[in-house]
Amino acid sequence: MDIFKFGGASAKDAAGVKNIANIIRDYKKGNLLVVVSAMGNITNKLEELTYAYLAQNDEAHAMFEEIKDFHFSIINELFVGNANTLYDDVANTFVEIDWLIEDEPDNNADYIYDQIVSIGEVISTKIIAAWLNETGNKALWVDARNYIQTDNSYREGKVDWDKTSQIIQKDLAPLLNQNIIVTQGFIGGTSENYTTTLGREGSDYSAAIFASCLNADALTIWKDVPGVLNADPKWFDETEMIPQLSYHDAIELTYYGATVIHPKTIKPLQNKGIPLFVRSFIQPQGVGTAITKNNNPLPVPSFIFKVNQALISIFPKDYSFIIEENLSAIFELFHRHKIKINTMLNSAISFSVSVDDHPKQIENLIIALSSEYTIKYNKGLELVTIRYYNQKTIDRVTVNKDILLEVKSRHTCQMVMKNKNQFDSSL
Ligand code: ASP
Ligand code: MG
């Protein structure tokens, strides 16, 4: 059996839904489970709605109407007015949000976020399952919240693997023989039946969980690029497709910020030896990238850019060495303020890190650090990571740049840089 995963970009309109159904129709190999995200950028819209509701902003209701209209117009275009059951089903699902936003928020914001934002996936899968049935592919809509079991860390639900795999094997596996299963990415359920989400862009991870628990033959993630490229076309004019990638390189690239696959996707697949294919939903005949246990190194150097970086340097006020003891205290503060370190370097009496610039969190971190440490920081920087670097690739990305920090290991080089003429925002 296989798992297919389709993201929001592939399901952004009626034509996208038809295209997904065609790809599924052309799959002839056996049983299939399909994981789908929310349509287009609906998750962002639902996030905005959640924040507006939490702030008791009057615009919340208008935002919600817009989200509803978006989905109903796709349904109308697909079924040309001939979809009463689906229409009612979708309308009833939206009522859950209606009820929630009717009253003032009296609950934990992260909990509210998950109850609202998860609806995007519930609705997209209802529409796609209905369209598959309409076009002669026997599909069964399944609620992922009954299978992906998590704790109650809202917005970043931690998966209970034992429970999840038990329920999937017992209750979901038998359904696959008769139907194509359509289910949601990104969402899970707690033991008390509340909805959780697994973190933004987490649908790839959901697909990997289903693949692992069902011992799938393969997981295919359908993207708007031909496969995994050696750089994001947003930053590079010339990119190359990588036909074969090892789990190891894939996990390194996603860890450093390659956005093509969610970083948590690889581990469950690697642990079971399940191949991951990344293919284009625009050109489904292309072979794409195969990520497997092969040990071949990347055929071309790969580049990952992160912009909007802050470089924070931490110096003990009393000139004590940066050693295990104060490092562990510093790490603990980063963890507590939910600031993820993208790269780091230490010397005798300094410790420097590059992080995504979230001003509020950084400000709080600096306050927490400043009793014992002097802090300096620069903002507006970029971090480039080159996997399988050489001098030529370093020269290519450092034209007109000043390098503020450089970390090299055998295969990976990371540089935090600013434009040569950039206004110096350091403190
Ligand atoms: N719809 C969710 C998001 O946009 C999950 C996903 O797309 O993977 O974050
Ligand atoms: Mg998405």
Side-chain angles (χ1 to χ4, degrees):
M1 67 126 344
D2 276 71
I3 312 279
F4 281 2
K5 183 263 168 174
F6 293 95
S10 64
K12 68 180 195 314
D13 50 23
V17 174
K18 289 181 182 171
N19 183 51
I20 291 176
N22 290 344
I23 292 174
I24 292 172
R25 179 202 59 205
D26 292 343
Y27 171 81
K28 300 270 185 266
K29 282 205 302 225
N31 297 342
L32 185 64
L33 178 136
V34 182
V35 173
V36 190
S37 314
M39 302 180 116
N41 68 350
I42 283 298
T43 305
N44 291 346
K45 299 265 178 213
L46 287 164
E47 260 187 5
E48 286 164 22
L49 166 64
T50 307
Y51 297 139
Y53 161 66
L54 287 170
Q56 289 291 284
N57 179 333
D58 291 342
E59 275 167 45
H61 288 275
M63 288 173 164
F64 186 32
E65 288 311 309
E66 197 192 307
I67 292 167
K68 286 196 252 186
D69 288 349
F70 170 87
H71 290 96
F72 286 125
S73 74
I74 291 177
I75 295 176
N76 287 337
E77 195 179 332
L78 286 170
F79 297 88
V80 219
N82 212 347
N84 291 342
T85 340
L86 172 66
Y87 204 94
D88 290 347
D89 195 7
V90 169
N92 287 336
T93 308
F94 280 130
V95 168
E96 290 174 31
I97 298 186
D98 267 318
W99 283 341
L100 214 150
I101 65 177
E102 222 166 69
D103 300 324
E104 280 181 23
D106 61 349
N107 227 313
N108 169 317
D110 290 342
Y111 164 84
I112 293 174
Y113 175 102
D114 281 359
Q115 312 316 304
I116 295 181
V117 171
S118 56
I119 296 293
E121 267 72 9
V122 176
I123 306 257
S124 68
T125 47
K126 291 200 176 208
I127 296 174
I128 287 168
W131 181 250
L132 283 170
N133 282 312
E134 176 80 10
T135 51
N137 297 285
K138 202 162 161 253
L140 180 71
W141 180 87
V142 156
D143 193 331
R145 293 170 291 191
N146 296 335
Y147 296 95
I148 307 281
Q149 298 293 302
T150 72
D151 68 359
N152 58 2
S153 320
Y154 295 103
R155 288 189 78 161
E156 49 181 348
K158 306 265 171 314
V159 174
D160 181 332
W161 277 88
D162 288 342
K163 263 203 211 164
T164 300
S165 76
Q166 228 173 39
I167 305 179
I168 289 181
Q169 279 164 20
K170 186 167 132 301
D171 296 344
L172 188 61
L175 303 175
L176 274 156
N177 291 326
Q178 271 122 60
N179 314 273
I180 297 163
I181 302 236
V182 178
T183 194
Q184 306 79 39
F186 181 53
I187 69 175
T190 67
S191 52
E192 282 140 357
N193 283 328
Y194 292 116
T195 303
T196 50
T197 61
L198 309 180
R200 285 303 306 266
E201 308 303 330
S203 292
D204 294 348
Y205 180 43
S206 303
I209 298 169
F210 282 112
S212 164
C213 296
L214 289 163
N215 291 311
D217 294 313
L219 162 60
T220 303
I221 296 185
W222 297 90
K223 302 281 301 182
D224 57 0
V225 284
V228 177
L229 306 175
N230 73 326
D232 187 333
K234 205 160 71 186
W235 309 113
F236 259 42
D237 294 337
E238 283 166 40
T239 56
E240 284 179 60
M241 218 266 285
I242 304 166
Q244 300 274 343
L245 197 58
S246 64
Y247 291 124
H248 186 149
D249 278 331
I251 215 161
E252 294 281 356
L253 292 177
T254 56
Y255 171 81
Y256 289 122
T259 52
V260 61
I261 324 158
H262 189 280
K264 282 173 147 179
T265 313
I266 309 293
K267 180 182 185 292
L269 301 175
Q270 188 279 341
N271 290 177
K272 288 264 177 103
I274 299 170
L276 168 61
F277 299 105
V278 179
R279 293 175 62 185
S280 161
F281 63 78
I282 301 162
Q283 282 178 314
Q285 59 292 351
V287 288
T289 298
I291 300 168
T292 61
K293 57 172 180 269
N294 80 75
N295 270 327
N296 312 332
L298 273 176
V300 286
S302 289
F303 301 85
I304 299 139
F305 288 87
K306 274 181 180 270
V307 291
N308 205 13
Q309 295 295 295
L311 180 65
I312 307 176
S313 297
I314 301 166
F315 307 87
K317 282 184 175 162
D318 64 357
Y319 271 56
S320 41
F321 289 133
I322 287 282
I323 47 164
E324 295 77 2
E325 197 184 340
N326 45 20
L327 267 180
S328 79
I330 293 170
F331 276 124
E332 152 62 23
L333 284 172
F334 273 82
H335 178 66
R336 194 178 316 151
H337 289 87
K338 294 195 173 150
I339 299 177
K340 188 178 163 295
I341 296 173
N342 293 328
T343 189
M344 61 189 159
L345 186 68
N346 70 305
S347 73
I349 54 162
S350 80
F351 178 59
S352 298
V353 300
S354 183
V355 301
D356 295 350
D357 187 3
H358 298 297
K360 193 74 207 146
Q361 278 154 274
I362 292 179
E363 195 187 311
N364 290 337
L365 171 76
I366 290 177
I367 293 171
L369 284 166
S370 46
S371 57
E372 286 178 49
Y373 302 93
T374 306
I375 312 293
K376 292 191 176 165
Y377 65 86
N378 279 61
K379 292 194 166 198
L381 308 176
E382 69 193 60
L383 167 65
V384 57
T385 303
I386 313 173
R387 180 107 177 123
Y388 297 105
Y389 65 94
N390 52 32
Q391 195 52 45
K392 216 172 114 206
T393 54
I394 293 179
D395 292 344
R396 183 171 167 190
V397 296
T398 51
V399 181
N400 285 327
K401 306 276 181 191
D402 285 329
I403 301 170
L404 306 185
L405 181 144
E406 185 177 79
V407 183
K408 281 181 179 167
S409 66
R410 194 141 40 112
H411 295 311
T412 307
C413 168
Q414 293 196 291
M415 291 173 290
V416 180
M417 323 185 286
K418 71 172 186 162
N419 290 334
K420 271 208 183 315
N421 52 6
Q422 188 175 328
F423 168 73
D424 192 349
S425 66
S426 61
L427 262 177

